């Protein structure tokens, strides 16, 4: 099986993302979790280095060939640079579909060697999104079942609260 890239902002990584990484690692020979640096969409809560550290910690016991890296510029160019031919994306609700479909088609328009591989999110994490996790944590809500332990701790530090539970 080819080398796959699971790219994203991961600000921060959630259990929904981890579920996709683990399932992708069972399918592909090699999975690279690629963290987008300098996200222009919004101001990131965590630096790219912090996001990479949290992902490495969260994935340390994951079987299979999984590595973590940072990238900037076009995703398809990054894929070419590291010899990956598949981009893995997780799909949650229908609302994800239009954005994902546009991105997949644009990536294929730019580089037809790179194929997008969609995986459905597990029903357990259907509603989990980094944006919501940050909002809930910032308001003192409990996100401990939605994110890896290390992320729960780092969110608590950012928002100066005691981690729950
Ligand atoms: O988890 P996200 O934030 O939805 O991930 C989006 C990501 C990082 C995959 C996308 O923004 C991306 O690939 N950015 C790199 C720049 C690029 O290639 N843009 C063209 C996409 S069609």
């Amino acid at each position: 099986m080819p080398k796959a890239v699971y790219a994203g902002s991961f600000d921060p990584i959630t259990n929904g993302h981890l579920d996709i990484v683990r399932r992708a690692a069972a399918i592909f020979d090699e999975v690279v979790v690629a963290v987008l640096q300098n996200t222009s969409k919004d101001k990131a809560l965590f630096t790219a280095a912090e996001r990479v550290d949290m992902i490495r910690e969260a994935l340390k016991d994951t079987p299979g060939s999984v590595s973590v890296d940072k990238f900037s510029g076009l995703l398809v160019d990054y894929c070419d640079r590291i010899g990956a031919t598949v981009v893995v994306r997780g799909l949650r609700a229908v609302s994800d579909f239009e954005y994902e479909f546009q991105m997949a088609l644009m990536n294929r328009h730019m580089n037809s060697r790179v194929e997008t591989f969609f995986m459905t999110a597990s029903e357990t994490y259907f509603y989990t999104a980094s944006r919501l996790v940050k909002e809930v944590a910032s308001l003192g809500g409990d996100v401990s079942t939605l994110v890896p332990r290390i992320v729960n701790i780092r969110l608590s530090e950012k928002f100066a609260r005691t981690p729950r539970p």
Side-chain angles (χ1 to χ4, degrees):
M1 280 301 247
K3 183 171 180 173
V5 169
Y6 181 43
S9 313
F10 303 117
D11 183 44
I13 192 152
T14 67
N15 287 342
H17 293 129
L18 286 183
D19 174 59
I20 296 283
V21 178
R22 292 189 176 122
R23 285 160 52 206
I27 296 170
F28 297 100
D29 280 342
E30 206 179 329
V31 176
V32 179
V33 181
V35 175
L36 178 66
Q37 303 194 69
N38 311 326
T39 163
S40 59
K41 258 199 274 178
D42 54 4
K43 213 172 117 27
L45 177 65
F46 294 100
T47 65
E50 287 173 326
R51 286 177 271 148
V52 165
D53 283 350
M54 286 187 284
I55 298 170
R56 289 212 169 108
E57 171 67 25
L59 286 171
K60 66 173 193 266
D61 299 322
T62 299
S65 177
V66 179
S67 57
V68 187
D69 194 11
K70 289 183 284 208
F71 81 104
S72 53
L74 288 174
L75 177 56
V76 288
D77 291 346
Y78 173 73
C79 289
D80 270 353
R81 279 202 300 281
I82 67 163
T85 52
V86 173
V87 165
V88 170
R89 295 292 292 170
L91 272 184
R92 288 165 306 187
V94 178
S95 52
D96 281 348
F97 185 78
E98 193 173 343
Y99 167 63
E100 293 296 337
F101 195 65
Q102 279 181 339
M103 205 156 59
L105 289 178
M106 181 60 84
N107 280 335
R108 194 160 70 204
H109 167 76
M110 291 189 286
N111 184 336
S112 59
R113 291 179 300 279
V114 176
E115 194 63 67
T116 302
F117 185 91
F118 290 113
M119 296 180 69
T120 48
S122 142
E123 61 278 14
T124 319
Y125 304 117
F126 214 64
Y127 55 91
T128 308
S130 301
R131 181 179 55 79
L132 290 180
V133 161
K134 281 185 281 191
E135 184 174 329
V136 171
S138 74
L139 297 170
D142 179 16
V143 294
S144 60
T145 58
L146 305 178
V147 295
R149 203 175 118 72
I150 183 68
V151 172
N152 194 31
I153 293 169
R154 294 285 174 266
L155 283 168
S156 302
E157 291 165 358
K158 284 276 180 200
F159 297 122
R161 66 178 173 100
T162 313
R164 297 198 238 169

